[in-house]
Amino acid sequence: MVFAVFLPSPGEGWSADFQRGLSAYNMKDYVTALSEWSTLAEQGSVSAQFNLGMMYAEGKGVSQDDTIAVRWFMLAAERGNVSAQVNLGFMYQYGKGVGEDYLESVFWYKKSAEQGQAEAQTSLAWMYENGKGIEIDNEQAVYWYKKAAERSDTNAQLKLGIIYKNGSDTTEDYTQSFYWYKKVAEQGDAVAQLNVGIMYEYGKGVSEDYSQAAFWYKKAAEQGHSEAQANLGWFYLNGKGVELDYKKAIEWYKKAAEQGYTSAQLSLGEIYKNGKGIPEDYTQAFYWYKKVAEKGDSSAQYNLGLMYEYGKGTAEDYTQAVQWYKKAAEQGDTQAQLNLALMYKYGTGVSEDYSQAVFWYKKAAEQGNTKAQVNLATMYNAGEGVPENYILAYKWSNLAAARGSEQARDLKNELRKRMTREQIAEAQQLSIEWEQSVSSQ
């Protein structure tokens, strides 16, 4: 929507009344401006009609009233005022002062767009892109975004960067994407700066250049963009495009984390837990892991379970450990599944339950966790939580042994002494079938 007041068109000329209205408006004397322009608007001054529309839309010198604003915009729009036309399109699109009507919105956006009004061109492109008031037509959307972008409309330029990057019904074109993102980035837009950084980092549409990636990430990060801050933190942590600097890595991760950016919070948990470049700080690690775990991140939930189990950064609490292991396990985290199975097997933080231990061992084993495969084989061998079954015990010990487990190899050799050739052949076939099912995924 156009918010600036409109100056007289060449055909209208500068009347003393209009000038008085403009001077009053610029002095924030809206009552006088309204009085001067009302007379001119009633006499047919298009510029005054538009300006009255803006004053009613914004409530300047008068009670805010979208219905009256629409009336004045309509009078100016019907006489070809491009700003009134785009504003009228906006009012119809969002149902301000009139009923929501996408068809009318498209009509007025198009009128304005065809006269070269960049904001109208961007809005019309969006209507084509989203099928509002007109059939979806991505070619037309790109056409109008380009028209607006060539008139330096930053929203349109940013949109083109996105469209060419994602290949939304157009040929994916990273070179074009980079071109438009960079135009907007150079005007200070943080989202565009982030994307230019990403494209330099991964060599998309431009040669890979970590120094340039860091440069643009920093530009966006300094404007408070959390993803850029996290990316810059990673660069400092790993010495990519900048000198390795743990202090700066933590500084930027914290800025992103304090805005709630999940990956930065998780990274801080890892840094403090492992003491990478700084002394270990389990209290800080626990703090950041908990923030992420409460959002549902399985890795953080697993780590929180570990910290509760071993009393790192918090009081030892097996019940809490079980709770967090279970949350992570239910999302498919294999280490959490293994640890949860162990808690059930030994009754730690939960009642001893071999059947639940087998359930979680199996979940982890099916995903290829070697330790879980060994433990599951042991349960089948001993008939703990499941009926004794040498064939399944052999299957899982065979798979774990192939992954280098000495314990599994010993169990497998022990089982061979008690099994028939037919049973061993069946177990080996089950192992082969499992390997094939995994490799086909």
Side-chain angles (χ1 to χ4, degrees):
M1 188 165 176
V2 177
F3 290 103
V5 295
F6 206 78
L7 301 180
S9 63
E12 290 184 295
W14 284 80
S15 71
D17 292 339
F18 192 95
Q19 181 61 58
R20 279 194 296 273
L22 183 61
S23 297
Y25 186 92
N26 290 335
M27 296 289 289
K28 295 185 169 39
D29 180 0
Y30 299 127
V31 174
T32 300
L34 186 75
S35 173
E36 296 292 345
W37 286 340
S38 291
T39 302
L40 292 173
E42 293 289 357
Q43 293 172 0
S45 167
V46 174
S47 301
Q49 289 168 345
F50 171 79
N51 291 350
L52 280 186
M54 283 309 309
M55 293 185 78
Y56 276 103
E58 295 183 280
K60 289 184 174 179
V62 68
S63 297
Q64 198 277 336
D65 192 323
D66 286 333
T67 303
I68 297 177
V70 166
R71 181 166 71 85
W72 288 114
F73 285 148
M74 181 67 78
L75 287 170
E78 286 174 343
R79 295 180 63 191
N81 184 286
V82 293
S83 296
Q85 290 168 344
V86 70
N87 283 10
L88 203 52
F90 176 88
M91 303 298 267
Y92 275 112
Q93 182 179 352
Y94 294 102
K96 290 183 172 292
V98 286
E100 185 180 277
D101 189 332
Y102 292 136
L103 285 171
E104 277 293 306
S105 179
V106 167
F107 175 82
W108 288 110
Y109 280 148
K110 198 168 188 182
K111 285 275 189 189
S112 185
E114 287 171 345
Q115 294 189 70
Q117 213 282 346
E119 189 174 337
Q121 292 168 338
T122 298
S123 297
L124 182 60
W126 187 91
M127 303 295 268
Y128 273 115
E129 184 183 7
N130 293 279
K132 299 293 186 181
I134 200 163
E135 286 187 20
I136 288 175
D137 188 330
N138 287 292
E139 284 187 10
Q140 279 293 301
V142 170
Y143 172 83
W144 286 109
Y145 279 135
K146 275 189 172 179
K147 286 279 189 187
E150 287 161 0
R151 298 180 72 87
S152 302
D153 185 284
T154 54
N155 290 328
Q157 292 171 340
L158 191 58
K159 253 303 191 179
L160 286 173
I162 295 167
I163 287 170
Y164 282 116
K165 181 181 178 183
N166 298 333
S168 306
D169 284 339
T170 63
T171 303
E172 189 177 79
D173 190 332
Y174 290 126
T175 303
Q176 278 290 301
S177 177
F178 178 80
Y179 173 81
W180 290 111
Y181 273 140
K182 197 160 188 286
K183 276 200 172 287
V184 189
E186 287 168 346
Q187 296 174 65
D189 185 275
V191 173
Q193 290 168 343
L194 167 71
N195 279 283
V196 170
I198 290 170
M199 299 187 87
Y200 270 119
E201 180 179 357
Y202 295 101
K204 299 286 189 181
V206 67
S207 299
E208 184 181 278
D209 188 328
Y210 290 135
S211 296
Q212 279 293 302
F215 173 83
W216 288 106
Y217 284 150
K218 192 172 185 183
K219 288 276 190 188
E222 286 171 345
Q223 294 195 67
H225 196 291
S226 58
E227 186 178 346
Q229 291 169 340
N231 290 1
L232 189 57
W234 187 88
F235 269 44
Y236 277 114
L237 186 68
N238 294 278
K240 294 286 188 182
V242 290
E243 286 187 22
L244 189 146
D245 190 324
Y246 294 120
K247 185 179 178 182
K248 285 186 178 178
I250 291 170
E251 176 189 327
W252 286 110
Y253 273 137
K254 272 192 174 177
K255 285 181 183 289
E258 285 162 0
Q259 293 191 70
Y261 195 72
T262 302
S263 74
Q265 294 172 333
L266 190 59
S267 294
L268 283 175
E270 293 291 326
I271 289 169
Y272 282 116
K273 177 188 172 187
N274 299 322
K276 190 166 185 180
I278 56 167
E280 287 175 350
D281 187 334
Y282 292 125
T283 303
Q284 279 291 302
F286 178 85
Y287 173 82
W288 290 111
Y289 276 140
K290 196 164 191 289
K291 287 230 177 242
V292 187
E294 287 169 347
K295 295 179 186 177
D297 183 272
S298 61
S299 174
Q301 290 168 342
Y302 164 69
N303 277 288
L304 202 57
L306 280 177
M307 299 190 86
Y308 273 118
E309 183 177 359
Y310 295 102
K312 300 286 190 181
T314 187
E316 186 180 274
D317 189 329
Y318 294 136
T319 304
Q320 282 289 308
V322 168
Q323 176 188 323
W324 289 106
Y325 282 147
K326 192 169 187 182
K327 284 181 181 289
E330 286 170 346
Q331 294 192 69
D333 187 290
T334 59
Q335 277 302 123
Q337 291 167 344
L338 172 63
N339 287 14
L340 185 58
L342 290 165
M343 304 294 269
Y344 274 114
K345 182 175 182 183
Y346 296 106
T348 309
V350 69
S351 299
E352 184 180 278
D353 189 330
Y354 285 160
S355 63
Q356 278 292 299
V358 168
F359 176 83
W360 289 110
Y361 279 145
K362 192 172 184 183
K363 286 280 189 186
E366 290 285 5
Q367 292 191 74
N369 185 289
T370 303
K371 182 63 176 173
Q373 291 172 341
V374 176
N375 290 357
L376 185 58
T378 302
M379 301 292 273
Y380 276 118
N381 179 50
E384 293 178 332
V386 286
E388 184 182 89
N389 189 320
Y390 292 159
I391 292 171
L392 289 177
Y394 190 98
K395 167 194 169 180
W396 289 112
S397 60
N398 187 41
L399 288 167
R403 286 163 173 75
S405 170
E406 290 293 335
Q407 184 184 352
R409 191 173 292 113
D410 292 342
L411 177 57
K412 174 183 167 184
N413 291 336
E414 183 61 32
L415 285 164
R416 290 179 71 90
K417 298 173 186 177
R418 290 181 262 149
M419 295 171 68
T420 65
R421 287 183 178 179
E422 289 76 14
Q423 288 176 318
I424 293 170
E426 183 181 348
Q428 288 174 333
Q429 181 59 35
L430 289 173
S431 298
I432 292 168
E433 289 172 2
W434 184 87
E435 291 283 15
Q436 288 173 340
S437 70
V438 170
S439 63
S440 65
Q441 289 175 1

